[in-house]
Amino acid sequence: MAAPILRCFWPSLARPAIPKALPTIPIRSFSTTPTPNATLNQVLRRCRKPQRARHAVSPALSDTHCPQQKGVCLKVGITRPKKPNSGERKTARVRLSSGRTITAYIPGEGHNIQQHSVVLVRGGRSQDCPGVRYHLVRGALDLAGVSNRMTSRSKYGTKKPKKASVGV
């Protein structure tokens, strides 16, 4: 009987307190609005559909998992752009090495390709030309780079111009 009384006056005699478990905080999602479960009628109407896969911008290249592909020009022509724009965009029908035939945009001013030219095709659509989802690579294979190009030369396959020598 004396022990409990002594513990009150001398805390050092008291047993060490066992730490209590910390209260668990419920994990919440980022949204504060509750997500309701689907009703029976919604499930019967097949509301739980998986999300559809996004389509590729350049399907002929993504199907073969290639960044570029070689192809042969079948026809070179012009395409008129979509509504607010006007002009003549140079395009080429190309048969790729995989066998697919595509329409590709020829970037830059002027070009030297004609039928049976061998070209390198990369992805990337031309936004104002309907149905054009590919670009030709300038300065590769038969397609020459843009002449007299000073800015963005690497995009158009142009070498650095030689510096003019003064005097001598």
Side-chain angles (χ1 to χ4, degrees):
M1 253 182 72
I5 297 171
L6 288 175
R7 280 194 200 111
C8 294
F9 295 116
W10 288 292
S12 61
L13 293 176
R15 289 187 200 118
I18 299 170
K20 292 181 181 174
L22 294 173
T24 57
I25 300 168
I27 299 171
R28 292 190 326 172
S29 61
F30 289 107
S31 175
T32 56
T33 57
T35 55
N37 291 329
T39 64
L40 179 63
N41 279 337
Q42 288 171 337
V43 173
L44 291 176
R45 282 189 285 131
R46 303 196 184 279
C47 68
R48 294 177 180 165
K49 291 182 196 146
Q51 280 208 323
R52 289 178 57 200
R54 294 178 55 162
H55 71 281
V57 175
S58 305
L61 298 177
S62 63
D63 290 350
T64 55
H65 304 291
C66 300
Q68 300 101 8
Q69 266 195 352
K70 193 164 72 166
V72 178
C73 284
L74 305 176
K75 183 174 118 182
V76 179
I78 57 169
T79 305
R80 306 304 300 256
K82 284 199 278 193
K83 195 56 178 277
N85 297 336
S86 63
E88 295 177 340
R89 307 282 187 255
K90 277 60 174 182
T91 57
R93 288 291 283 170
V94 179
R95 171 163 288 118
L96 297 177
S97 56
S98 62
R100 276 176 98 155
T101 303
I102 53 128
T103 305
Y105 177 70
I106 307 168
E109 296 177 2
H111 65 83
N112 66 326
I113 61 169
Q114 51 200 7
Q115 193 175 3
H116 307 303
S117 295
V118 180
V119 291
L120 193 64
V121 177
R122 69 172 172 87
R125 57 189 277 255
S126 179
Q127 278 79 0
D128 59 357
C129 293
V132 178
R133 294 172 156 190
Y134 307 89
H135 273 68
L136 298 184
V137 179
R138 297 294 304 239
L141 304 177
D142 287 350
L143 181 56
V146 179
S147 58
N148 300 327
R149 179 90 196 182
M150 294 297 165
T151 59
S152 305
R153 291 190 328 274
S154 63
K155 289 183 181 178
Y156 297 95
T158 306
K159 300 281 187 210
K160 190 164 181 119
K162 295 232 184 332
K163 298 215 171 162
S165 58
V166 181
V168 193

